[in-house]
Amino acid sequence: MKLTDQQLAEFDELGYLFTPSCFSEAEIQVLRDEAEEIYKSDRKEVWREDTGAPRTAFAAHTYNEAFRLLGSHPRLIDPVSQLFGEQVYMHQYKINAKAPFDGAVWQWHQDYGTWARDDGMPEPRAMNIAVFLDEVMPINGPLMFIPKSHKRGTLDASHDTTTTSYPLWTLDNDTVTELADAGGIIAPTGPAGSVMMFHGNLVHASPPNITPYPRKIVYLTLNAVSNHITKFNREDWIAHRDFTPIDPVSDDALLEYARSHSKAA
Ligand SMILES: O=C(O)CCC(=O)C(=O)O
């Protein structure tokens, strides 16, 4: 999948590109089923909310074949490599749950703030590309973004280690208010299989999910190989130390896997 000049200009201007239904339901169903199995396991990579509900599962591409294929999928890897003008490696991989009734807040933050401060990443030449595993609705804890906020560089932040089970470098209310007054706030919604690609400095957050409806999203954090991290403070299954460029699989690899492994097959 090659980005057009118009898409490149839109990404530069707004800091994100949203592609509804980038993956088919057949491709997503197998990932959704396997994510639920991963959440049931007691692996160290599965972090939980204070209630015990799953919050995130790290590094699933290293222990699950379907998520490995997604982590090397050309519809995700190629546009990010194109934007950075070089090959990318996996800096982080998460399946965030936002569980029904229990999914907690993600405070306002910039991803690059954490990658720079905690992992010594030299430049914001990494980004998250998010794949919806469930339908994301206005009510089930959607991601919220402040368009154009990536143009403001890396902002002052403080380390929030108390609000949730997940430590995060978060922005203060005055900063968020000023940015939102300038750029507004959007919450992309859409069917499972939709993809949101966003700049490492784009300010974002998500509210709790108090509905009965799950909202799982997979995040590939792809970093330009020449921009690899220089500090190794976090576990290597949270901030990876394998800087090998990702060699994309074929476009139908996930569909083939789904055909042979889906519960209906
Ligand atoms: O999954 C979410 O709701 C937010 C995740 C997030 O902001 C992040 O991983 O940086």
Side-chain angles (χ1 to χ4, degrees):
M1 189 172 101
K2 204 155 163 51
L3 299 174
T4 62
D5 288 347
Q6 190 187 337
Q7 286 174 312
L8 290 169
E10 188 179 324
F11 181 85
D12 180 55
E13 164 76 2
L14 299 175
Y16 65 88
L17 278 178
F18 182 55
T19 312
S21 302
C22 184
F23 289 90
S24 67
E25 177 57 21
E27 289 171 308
I28 293 297
Q29 178 68 53
V30 68
L31 295 165
R32 193 158 48 224
D33 292 344
E34 302 212 9
E36 293 299 346
E37 292 305 312
I38 291 170
Y39 291 146
K40 280 187 212 151
S41 69
D42 64 358
R43 306 188 64 99
K44 63 180 183 310
E45 294 92 344
V46 178
W47 283 26
R48 298 187 181 278
E49 310 284 10
D50 295 338
T51 59
R55 180 174 179 86
T56 192
F58 286 103
H61 65 306
T62 63
Y63 52 80
N64 178 284
E65 178 61 10
F67 284 104
R68 182 189 75 78
L69 294 171
L70 185 74
S72 303
H73 203 285
R75 275 172 247 162
L76 305 176
I77 304 301
D78 291 350
V80 181
S81 305
Q82 182 189 349
L83 253 157
F84 292 144
E86 66 172 290
Q87 286 188 288
V88 294
Y89 75 91
M90 192 69 70
H91 172 59
Q92 188 174 81
Y93 193 106
K94 302 194 291 283
I95 317 168
N96 285 0
K98 197 72 83 170
F101 300 110
D102 281 324
V105 64
W106 287 72
Q107 302 283 6
W108 290 104
H109 67 284
Q110 296 172 302
D111 292 326
Y112 180 65
T114 297
W115 304 332
R117 293 177 180 100
D118 291 351
D119 305 327
M121 188 184 285
E123 306 273 341
R125 297 188 65 237
M127 73 170 89
N128 270 337
I129 184 158
V131 182
F132 296 1
L133 294 191
D134 296 304
E135 180 182 358
V136 175
M137 303 178 250
I139 54 173
N140 64 347
L143 286 166
M144 302 191 296
F145 298 88
I146 302 184
K148 305 182 183 182
S149 52
H150 65 303
K151 302 256 186 207
R152 302 289 287 271
T154 307
L155 300 157
D156 286 343
S158 42
H159 208 200
D160 176 4
T161 55
T162 55
T163 308
T164 65
S165 60
Y166 189 89
L168 201 63
W169 287 92
T170 58
L171 305 180
D172 65 36
N173 292 352
D174 288 345
T175 305
V176 173
T177 304
E178 192 228 313
L179 293 169
D181 283 349
I185 297 177
I186 56 141
T189 54
S194 300
V195 169
M196 176 77 175
M197 170 174 155
F198 54 101
H199 192 284
N201 274 333
L202 195 72
V203 174
H204 62 285
S206 65
N209 183 10
I210 57 167
T211 74
Y213 312 117
R215 190 238 63 181
K216 288 180 286 302
I217 298 181
V218 184
Y219 298 85
L220 279 61
T221 306
L222 299 170
N223 190 12
V225 170
S226 67
N227 191 45
H228 66 75
I229 62 169
T230 60
K231 291 202 268 184
F232 305 114
N233 295 325
R234 302 198 287 172
E235 301 280 3
D236 62 1
W237 41 270
I238 297 181
H240 301 301
R241 295 167 202 174
D242 177 355
F243 309 139
T244 310
I246 297 169
D247 196 10
V249 295
S250 67
D251 191 78
D252 64 355
L254 189 55
L255 191 58
E256 285 304 316
Y257 180 88
R259 281 196 182 123
S260 52
H261 288 79
S262 77
K263 284 184 179 158

